[in-house]
Amino acid sequence: MLKENLELKKELRFKDGKFKIAMFSDLHGCKESDKRLKRDLDAMIEYLKPDLVLFSGDMFHTRANLKTEEDVRTFLTYITEILETNNIPWADAFGNHESEGAFENERLLPIFMSYPNCLMKKNSDTERGHSNYMIPIKNTAGDKIIFNIWALDSGGTIDICDFAHPNYTESDVRMPRPTALYGGEGYDNPKYDQVSWYYKSSKELEAYCGEKVPSFMFFHIPLPEHRLVKFNQAETNMQGECREGIACCELNYGLFATALQRGDVKGIFVGHDHVNNFLGTYCGIQLAFNSALAYDEYNADDMRGCRVFELDESDPGNYKTYCVQAQDIVPDYRGKGE
């Protein structure tokens, strides 16, 4: 499993001791996307000049009208043009909407992987999800892995049972209880086999490198623990905006506790909630949101942007992360984007 995990289409290295990542979420593009979506994405990439771009799910949505493989390729080619043209590596962690169109994630993955700069890959050790993989980053010399990124497929609506649950149907995604335990919703989260894959892979990586490798996780749907930041703002030193409820999973599959046990994950970053971009620290792990870039779904003009990570080779686990808003970068931001 270690060999499979370490394989990358393109080797990633720090450059002169630095490495920058830009994370975008919830593009909610479609066959005829608002032109401002690509305008903003391109402008932010040109401004930030990242070494890696991550999409934390929902690159397109249910109404995207992408009915054929050619439709999917046309959209991906359009939206990733600046990345492919400039040879910038990129990857997506599937959200809850990509698979609700004409193609399930299992069929989407090879289409994504066919792009020269896409780092996504098929994981043979997980039964659930189709964007479970790791992205190791080496030092400037290229002889040692000093940082890692864990990508997970957080699913769509709750689908945990391996049997026909008598009180669980597609039309009623909530398990029966008077009040959801975590105040969450019927959205899903990474399952046991995915959590187990992370745990085993983390131990293998530590053994291979001779030490724990600092890392962060990214996926789409927030964990129940993300709600703890909102409701314990002083204790978690919450910073940023929270303009809507936390649409997390109402079941807890134990991913946060496993990351805490392993001690390598420094932060868990998600999207899904379009107008949240806050960050707080719980038990030493950062829990944060990335606001949406979408124009074809609900959003706020002053929230549209991305989350940036700046890593330093001398202390990669102590990275700097902050949000950048498109309105501060894009000329004539409130124009029509023609």
Side-chain angles (χ1 to χ4, degrees):
M1 188 169 65
L2 178 65
K3 182 177 182 297
E4 179 182 73
N5 283 334
L6 293 180
E7 288 178 348
L8 271 188
K9 188 182 295 183
K10 289 191 168 187
E11 183 180 79
L12 299 184
R13 293 189 187 186
F14 279 71
K15 298 175 184 177
D16 297 324
K18 306 294 182 182
F19 197 91
K20 181 185 287 186
I21 303 165
M23 179 183 292
F24 296 88
S25 188
D26 295 89
L27 274 63
H28 284 274
C30 55
K31 200 168 186 178
E32 296 181 358
S33 294
D34 189 307
K35 290 182 173 60
R36 291 173 293 181
L37 175 66
K38 180 175 170 60
R39 178 202 68 179
D40 290 3
L41 178 67
D42 288 358
M44 297 182 81
I45 295 297
E46 290 175 359
Y47 174 81
L48 293 168
K49 295 179 172 54
D51 299 298
L52 172 67
V53 169
L54 302 175
F55 296 98
S56 52
D58 284 4
M59 287 186 71
F60 42 89
H61 58 62
T62 312
R63 302 182 301 282
N65 199 28
L66 306 180
K67 297 180 179 179
T68 66
E69 181 176 326
E70 182 180 358
D71 289 340
V72 175
R73 289 187 181 278
T74 298
F75 171 76
L76 283 178
T77 299
Y78 169 74
I79 207 68
T80 66
E81 178 185 15
I82 189 171
L83 305 176
E84 291 296 329
T85 300
N86 293 282
N87 291 315
I88 300 173
W90 61 275
D92 182 32
F94 289 135
N96 57 298
H97 282 301
E98 283 107 333
S99 64
E100 292 177 350
F103 291 86
E104 295 182 351
N105 289 346
E106 185 175 11
R107 295 178 63 193
L108 286 173
L109 182 59
I111 300 175
F112 277 67
M113 289 173 59
S114 69
Y115 284 79
N117 289 285
C118 179
L119 301 183
M120 299 172 72
K121 51 190 173 181
K122 174 73 174 176
N123 190 312
S124 61
D125 201 56
T126 53
E127 296 178 12
R128 302 290 189 116
H130 296 282
S131 56
N132 308 309
Y133 55 94
M134 52 180 272
I135 303 176
I137 305 173
K138 294 184 176 180
N139 59 3
T140 301
D143 57 5
K144 184 179 181 181
I145 297 171
I146 61 172
F147 198 82
N148 185 52
I149 299 170
W150 303 95
L152 291 169
D153 184 345
S154 55
T157 54
I158 294 174
D159 180 23
I160 190 174
C161 300
D162 292 329
F163 61 96
H165 196 290
N167 296 311
Y168 174 85
T169 65
E170 288 299 321
S171 61
D172 180 16
V173 298
R174 301 174 72 94
M175 293 293 186
R177 61 171 63 92
T179 302
L181 183 60
Y182 291 95
E185 301 185 21
Y187 292 112
D188 216 349
N189 264 174
K191 310 293 193 307
Y192 170 78
D193 64 294
Q194 296 168 277
V195 177
S196 178
W197 166 76
Y198 153 68
Y199 179 80
K200 291 185 292 184
S201 298
S202 172
K203 292 192 71 173
E204 286 186 343
L205 184 62
E206 180 181 1
Y208 176 76
C209 295
E211 59 185 352
K212 290 187 187 295
V213 178
S215 63
F216 68 71
M217 286 182 171
F218 81 104
F219 43 89
H220 186 68
I221 300 172
L223 299 175
E225 285 83 2
H226 279 87
R227 296 185 76 249
L228 295 176
V229 176
K230 176 182 178 180
F231 294 109
N232 298 275
Q233 297 183 20
E235 293 84 353
T236 60
N237 191 29
M238 175 179 156
Q239 303 171 32
E241 296 288 329
C242 181
R243 299 188 187 176
E244 64 176 310
I246 313 303
C248 64
C249 182
E250 68 180 67
L251 298 177
N252 195 321
Y253 303 151
L255 179 58
F256 180 87
T258 305
L260 183 61
Q261 179 180 348
R262 283 297 304 136
D264 56 350
V265 172
K266 307 303 179 183
I268 301 176
F269 299 89
V270 298
H272 193 52
D273 298 343
H274 293 194
V275 287
N276 288 339
N277 68 4
F278 66 83
L279 176 149
T281 301
Y282 174 55
C283 294
I285 297 177
Q286 291 180 324
L287 297 169
F289 282 84
N290 190 25
S291 57
L293 196 66
Y295 278 91
D296 297 291
E297 274 289 351
Y298 76 94
N299 210 343
D301 281 345
D302 64 334
M303 290 287 285
R304 195 174 283 113
C306 74
R307 178 170 287 280
V308 179
F309 301 84
E310 294 183 0
L311 283 66
D312 190 296
E313 186 169 353
S314 63
D315 188 9
N318 189 26
Y319 54 80
K320 180 181 179 182
T321 183
Y322 54 91
C323 291
V324 174
Q325 276 68 49
Q327 67 175 3
D328 298 325
I329 295 171
V330 180
D332 191 25
Y333 174 65
R334 287 176 172 79
K336 295 182 179 180
E338 297 293 336

